[in-house]
Amino acid sequence: MTQFNFRFQKILDLKENEKGFAQIQMAEAMKQHEVGHQQKRMIQKKISDAEQLKIAKQLSGVNISELRMLEDYIYQLQDQSLSSERELEYLQKKVSASQGVLQEKAKEEKTWENLKQQKLTHFREENKAVEQNFFDEMASTRFYRLTKANNLAEGI
């Protein structure tokens, strides 16, 4: 029996590789997004700590220059927080884009995989038909020989 050979196997392999690469890109984008979230949480914690320190210093009676420096520090942290928020939006768009690319690559790979399955099914059906014809031919030949042998034995 002949072996199945998919004409477009190289294309299917390429699509599988593209899908794998898209998965890697998406994982990297998600990792960057998570790092961005961690940075934002750290900035928010610093803001919270600085505000608590400011309140504590106000209650204990500290000079105005120290409070101003603390206020400036809080404003810098808030600017960093806004920057971090914009970066998170960018990273979220990057994750969404990579998800779209991955879905497209998976769809393309699935299409070629389905074509391969259809061709394999057709190949098996053809082989089954050829095999059945071979066995039918063998049965017919055997029947002919047995009939001829019986006729000779009976003297017809």
Side-chain angles (χ1 to χ4, degrees), residues 125-135:
E125 288 172 358
E126 281 183 347
N127 273 354
K128 190 175 179 181
V130 166
E131 190 176 277
Q132 187 61 47
N133 286 341
F134 175 75
F135 287 131

Side-chain angles (χ1 to χ4, degrees), residues 27-91:
E28 184 62 32
M30 291 176 75
K31 181 180 172 185
Q32 289 174 352
H33 190 256
E34 182 56 35
V35 167
H37 270 295
Q38 289 173 355
Q39 288 175 345
K40 177 138 174 72
R41 285 191 291 270
M42 284 180 11
I43 292 169
Q44 292 298 329
K45 184 178 181 336
K46 285 180 182 180
I47 290 173
S48 174
D49 291 346
E51 287 178 348
Q52 287 175 359
L53 180 62
K54 180 180 117 182
I55 291 170
K57 292 219 180 224
Q58 283 175 338
L59 292 175
S60 68
V62 148
N63 65 21
I64 194 80
S65 64
E66 194 173 336
L67 281 177
R68 278 217 156 134
M69 286 186 351
L70 202 50
E71 277 290 326
D72 288 343
Y73 177 64
I74 291 172
Y75 285 133
Q76 286 177 342
L77 288 174
Q78 288 172 341
D79 284 344
Q80 284 181 359
S81 179
L82 287 174
S83 251
S84 177
E85 189 65 40
R86 284 190 293 269
E87 186 176 346
L88 274 176
E89 288 174 11
Y90 166 75
L91 292 173

